[in-house]
Amino acid sequence: MQEKDRLFFQQKGSVLAGAGKPGTQDAGTAIRICDVEKYYGNGSHVTKAVDRVSFTVRQGEFIGVMGASGSGKTTLLNLLSTIDTVTAGHIYYTLSDSGSCPPARRAFNTGCPEGYTLSDSGSCPSARRAFDTGCPNSEVDITELSEDRLSDFRKNNLGFVFQEYNLLDTLTLEENIMLAMTLRRQKKEEIQKRCTELLELLGIADVKAQFPYQVSGGQKQRCACARALANRPRLLLADEPTGALDSHSAQTLLETFTEMNEKLKATIFMVTHDAFSASYCGRILFLKDGKIFHELVRGEKTRREFLNEILDVLSLTGGEFSHAE
């Protein structure tokens, strides 16, 4: 980084995102990413897509990741979502933020090697039992889970919003939302109640009987959001969610994300190249060459003020400006 760029960031008061090392979980932490690396290729042809990245995500936070194409932002999202695996490092998810857990305490008190960093393998029945029951105040290192455990973890803890919606055209909007809960074998009454709540919250109750090809792109994306929230995930992951929308639909979706974050306390991790979309976040991490080099926190700033700060950073990093107006 050139000296003038470094001085700019110092004037902005940026503190690069950091994460505690294993064993330093803070109250309210939802995810800890510790020295994560992802390399592709071998020998002299190695690409460092993610290069020793560390940061934390707090419960109820709306966090965005920005960077130019090839910066590693989508790779990072894929690592958090268990779609891809790390080359090195650890990703810890906190299963709950309150309460007590006898199996985990027993594991800790007896010197179990897993301790509070719970695992689905090894020699500690108490830690395995704490993991299986979703014990409060426990952490799961997803980099050490088997494929079967990863599948269960993904199903029980993560929600996804994709750029292309990924709705089933043969199901109505209501049925698309219900399907996510049906796969978890929930009771019919509970499924209907939850579905109705989400349809009303996201403003698509009046088109619930329509098929995806009969509604607008914005309505399809809101249905995708409802489906992602159906099972009350610990983390909602959004990969360029406004990429296929016009500016009006994009703004409506981002306002929906804000409402989900504020009213439902949803923890949202969004990857975007769009400054306008990023301005809705509470915190933004900027990636360059696979590394976090800058962080912005909105705090008490207006969205317009925050947008201007984002544009200032992008002007120095080669980022993109779509929808900035």
Side-chain angles (χ1 to χ4, degrees):
M1 183 182 298
Q2 296 182 0
E3 184 61 25
K4 65 176 182 179
D5 296 346
R6 190 179 303 279
L7 290 173
F8 168 82
F9 292 131
Q10 288 176 350
Q11 290 169 358
K12 291 292 184 183
S14 168
V15 178
L16 294 185
K21 300 301 181 185
T24 60
Q25 176 190 9
D26 294 324
T29 298
I31 313 168
R32 289 192 299 122
I33 294 86
C34 298
D35 295 328
V36 165
E37 302 177 8
K38 181 62 181 181
Y39 296 170
Y40 295 102
N42 53 60
S44 59
H45 302 285
V46 174
T47 299
K48 297 181 179 181
V50 176
D51 190 6
R52 291 187 68 83
V53 165
S54 295
F55 64 96
T56 61
V57 179
R58 297 185 65 80
Q59 293 173 8
E61 187 171 21
F62 186 180
I63 184 170
V65 175
M66 298 194 74
S69 297
S71 62
K73 57 186 185 295
T74 297
T75 300
L76 180 59
L77 180 140
N78 288 341
L79 296 175
L80 291 181
S81 65
T82 75
I83 291 174
D84 205 350
T85 56
V86 304
T87 301
H90 299 272
I91 300 174
Y92 301 94
Y93 276 80
T94 303
L95 293 185
S96 183
D97 64 340
S98 61
S100 59
C101 175
R105 279 205 312 273
R106 194 153 51 245
F108 180 81
N109 292 336
T110 57
C112 161
E114 283 87 356
Y116 272 100
T117 303
L118 305 180
S119 173
D120 67 328
S121 60
S123 57
C124 179
S126 293
R128 285 202 305 273
R129 189 156 55 251
F131 173 83
D132 290 338
T133 57
C135 153
N137 277 345
S138 59
E139 282 191 323
V140 172
D141 183 355
I142 63 170
T143 66
E144 296 183 353
L145 300 184
S146 66
E147 285 297 327
D148 287 343
R149 291 289 191 179
L150 275 177
S151 178
D152 288 340
F153 177 85
R154 192 161 48 240
K155 177 179 67 176
N156 295 327
N157 296 281
L158 304 180
F160 298 87
V161 178
F162 303 97
Q163 181 174 330
E164 298 299 332
Y165 322 127
N166 289 346
L167 300 175
L168 297 178
D169 285 334
T170 56
L171 299 180
T172 65
L173 299 192
E174 183 178 40
E175 290 167 345
N176 267 280
I177 299 168
M178 287 182 167
L179 179 61
M181 294 178 278
T182 302
L183 294 174
R184 291 189 62 184
R185 303 180 186 278
Q186 296 183 32
K187 294 180 180 179
K188 184 177 179 179
E189 297 78 11
E190 294 175 354
I191 292 175
Q192 186 62 65
K193 180 181 178 182
R194 178 63 172 165
C195 185
T196 299
E197 291 174 352
L198 291 170
L199 286 166
E200 292 177 354
L201 175 67
L202 297 179
I204 51 175
D206 58 333
V207 293
K208 66 179 182 181
Q210 303 295 311
F211 292 92
Y213 60 83
Q214 295 176 314
V215 301
S216 69
Q219 289 169 323
K220 282 188 278 192
Q221 194 61 293
R222 277 179 276 162
C223 178
C225 289
R227 181 187 57 187
L229 289 170
N231 291 319
R232 295 181 172 84
R234 298 186 186 281
L235 178 67
L236 181 66
L237 297 130
D239 186 8
E240 302 282 5
T242 63
L245 302 178
D246 59 68
S247 58
H248 175 72
S249 295
Q251 182 173 354
T252 300
L253 176 65
L254 293 164
E255 289 170 353
T256 298
F257 272 19
T258 300
E259 190 171 8
M260 285 161 30
N261 175 246
E262 293 176 351
K263 291 187 177 181
L264 300 180
K265 307 302 180 185
T267 304
I268 303 173
F269 186 91
M270 180 175 73
V271 165
T272 183
H273 67 274
D274 176 16
F276 179 81
S277 297
S279 68
Y280 283 82
C281 299
R283 179 163 64 111
I284 302 173
L285 305 179
F286 293 85
L287 263 63
K288 187 174 184 180
D289 300 326
K291 297 181 179 180
I292 295 174
F293 76 95
H294 190 57
E295 175 184 16
L296 287 179
V297 178
R298 179 172 174 179
E300 299 301 319
K301 303 181 189 77
T302 66
R303 195 178 62 76
R304 170 55 65 179
E305 291 171 338
F306 197 39
L307 174 59
N308 289 336
E309 283 197 20
I310 295 167
L311 294 174
D312 285 344
V313 175
L314 293 180
S315 68
L316 296 175
T317 64
E320 300 175 39
F321 294 84
S322 58
H323 284 142
E325 298 299 323

